[in-house]
Amino acid sequence: MRVVVPFDADDPKTRLAPVLGAGERAAFATAMLRDVLETVRAAGHEPEVLSTASAGVDAPVTVDEQPLSPAVNAVLAAHDGPIAVVMADLPLGTPDALARLTESDADVALVPGLGGGTNAFLTRDPTFRVDYHGGSYRKHREQVAASGASLATVDSFWLSLDVDEPGDLAEVLLHGDGHAETWLREAGFELAADGRGLAAHRN
Amino acid sequence: MRVVVPFDADDPKTRLAPVLGAGERAAFATAMLRDVLETVRAAGHEPEVLSTASAGVDAPVTVDEQPLSPAVNAVLAAHDGPIAVVMADLPLGTPDALARLTESDADVALVPGLGGGTNAFLTRDPTFRVDYHGGSYRKHREQVAASGASLATVDSFWLSLDVDEPGDLAEVLLHGDGHAETWLREAGFELAADGRGLAAHRN
């Protein structure tokens, strides 16, 4: 199956600015992208990157300077057959979790993200289009319901954890074992007790 | 399989105090507990509640005034055979997700929670004991590794979402369809756009 991984190569992960400088955010975003590409390959697919600029990773890259939603919709409009789109900031994704998405027999399968986003989807419906702005999971559900296509939701903690905010870094340290987790440790992050449980702190 | 649901009936959900009064927290906690009990039944098991005081729900209740960890460990010590323990603050849990826990063939299967907790587990190892204080998921993993028992991790967003903090309420409004979601709507909570995506706001 065709699996597209959109990537913001220009100013990625701005909400991590309180804890990472601009160059660090770019490096960490690339580490997460590499984890996602390896997971897609381990699940038996060849990933393609859809990037706003050159991405510097070992995968085919298409550059589209448009914002995320029109860039993804341009891919969907030009494609026939099933296609999956997986965000680049899911470093905890596993081949098993991804297989539960790609093996869904629904017309559209969605993976919700923390806070109401859509972290990944599969569509066999050629009319499905994305709108990632503001609570996209609910909007995508409503779109599928209105179209009459069948809908599935994939229940995966690993794929629901998009790493956007400083509070998300603890999950990468706790559960990760790839490039993103290694990058954070080498940058001096470690786990420490905090209000809810564990949080990432930098030395 | 025996499925035990621990419940704090005395002063539940203290971290929701910024948005809910004490009586509201008790009512909301009970609504979440009812959702969990229904999910356990829908998955084919008869739930038992392990509560610090009378719980006022339609299920067998054992009262143990000890803190959570010694209360659960007393149950584990007195039990032979497989047993699952599922937290009471998982209103998004589904029968499918719970089945992935109870059908695991590992000696110990853990469901991680956001922030490093352990939201549910299954044990067939009679020596397994809990320690819920501060990052229990990591401690439980280490305990199982040291014992030589086999370990599985169950990857479920729905079971990983323990509702502890005001920010968690949006997930209940977004994805829930049970008692907890109804309680929040009747209490005036609704979804609105926020930094990450959607957040719960009260009218």
Side-chain angles (χ1 to χ4, degrees):
Chain A
M1 183 177 301
R2 192 171 170 197
V3 178
V4 175
V5 182
F7 183 64
D8 177 0
D10 290 315
D11 187 21
K13 299 287 120 195
T14 52
R15 279 185 281 154
L16 291 175
V19 297
L20 294 177
E24 290 179 325
R25 286 186 279 118
F28 180 59
T30 302
M32 292 199 289
L33 172 62
R34 292 173 64 198
D35 284 336
V36 171
L37 297 176
E38 290 181 8
T39 299
V40 172
R41 287 201 185 95
H45 309 282
E46 267 308 311
E48 305 166 39
V49 178
L50 173 65
S51 180
T52 57
S54 173
V57 290
D58 176 28
V61 176
T62 301
V63 173
D64 186 334
E65 296 177 356
Q66 295 186 91
L68 178 61
S69 295
V72 169
N73 284 334
V75 171
L76 297 178
H79 177 76
D80 277 331
I83 183 170
V85 175
V86 179
M87 293 295 117
D89 57 357
L90 308 174
L92 300 179
T94 62
D96 282 354
L98 200 65
R100 286 197 276 133
L101 174 68
T102 57
E103 293 169 6
S104 169
D105 55 9
D107 295 326
V108 179
L110 302 173
V111 181
L114 266 177
T118 305
N119 284 0
F121 69 89
L122 154 74
T123 182
R124 295 187 169 84
D125 173 0
T127 70
F128 181 76
R129 295 293 181 270
V130 297
D131 177 0
Y132 284 111
H133 188 74
S136 66
Y137 176 71
R138 193 165 56 166
K139 287 189 288 187
H140 291 151
R141 280 188 72 97
E142 290 167 356
Q143 179 192 155
V144 176
S147 75
S150 63
L151 175 70
T153 297
V154 177
D155 172 26
S156 166
F157 185 42
W158 305 140
L159 288 177
S160 294
L161 277 166
D162 47 322
V163 176
D164 283 327
E165 301 180 354
D168 302 327
L169 300 181
E171 307 294 342
V172 181
L173 290 172
L174 191 53
H175 301 292
D177 62 357
H179 301 291
E181 185 256 355
T182 300
W183 191 93
L184 286 176
R185 292 199 189 279
E186 291 180 350
F189 285 90
E190 59 185 34
L191 285 168
D194 198 2
R196 184 172 199 140
L198 297 171
H201 291 276
R202 195 167 193 175
N203 292 320
Chain B
M1 182 177 303
R2 194 170 168 197
V3 178
V4 175
V5 182
F7 182 65
D8 177 1
D10 289 317
D11 187 21
K13 300 287 120 196
T14 52
R15 278 185 283 155
L16 291 175
V19 296
L20 295 178
E24 290 179 323
R25 286 187 278 117
F28 180 58
T30 301
M32 292 199 288
L33 171 62
R34 291 172 66 198
D35 284 335
V36 171
L37 296 176
E38 290 181 8
T39 300
V40 172
R41 287 200 186 95
H45 309 282
E46 267 309 309
E48 306 166 38
V49 178
L50 174 65
S51 179
T52 57
S54 174
V57 290
D58 177 28
V61 177
T62 301
V63 172
D64 187 334
E65 295 179 356
Q66 295 185 91
L68 177 61
S69 295
V72 169
N73 284 334
V75 171
L76 297 177
H79 177 76
D80 277 330
I83 183 169
V85 175
V86 179
M87 293 295 115
D89 58 356
L90 308 175
L92 300 179
T94 62
D96 282 355
L98 200 65
R100 286 198 276 132
L101 175 68
T102 58
E103 292 169 7
S104 169
D105 55 9
D107 296 325
V108 179
L110 302 174
V111 181
L114 268 178
T118 305
N119 284 0
F121 68 88
L122 154 75
T123 181
R124 295 187 168 83
D125 174 359
T127 70
F128 181 74
R129 294 293 180 271
V130 296
D131 177 1
Y132 283 112
H133 189 73
S136 66
Y137 176 72
R138 193 166 56 166
K139 287 189 287 186
H140 291 151
R141 280 188 71 97
E142 290 167 355
Q143 179 193 156
V144 176
S147 75
S150 63
L151 176 70
T153 298
V154 176
D155 172 26
S156 167
F157 186 42
W158 305 140
L159 288 177
S160 295
L161 277 167
D162 47 323
V163 176
D164 281 328
E165 301 179 354
D168 302 327
L169 300 181
E171 307 293 342
V172 180
L173 291 172
L174 191 53
H175 301 293
D177 61 359
H179 302 291
E181 186 257 352
T182 299
W183 190 92
L184 286 176
R185 292 200 188 277
E186 292 181 349
F189 286 90
E190 58 185 34
L191 286 168
D194 198 2
R196 184 173 199 140
L198 295 172
H201 291 278
R202 194 168 193 174
N203 292 321

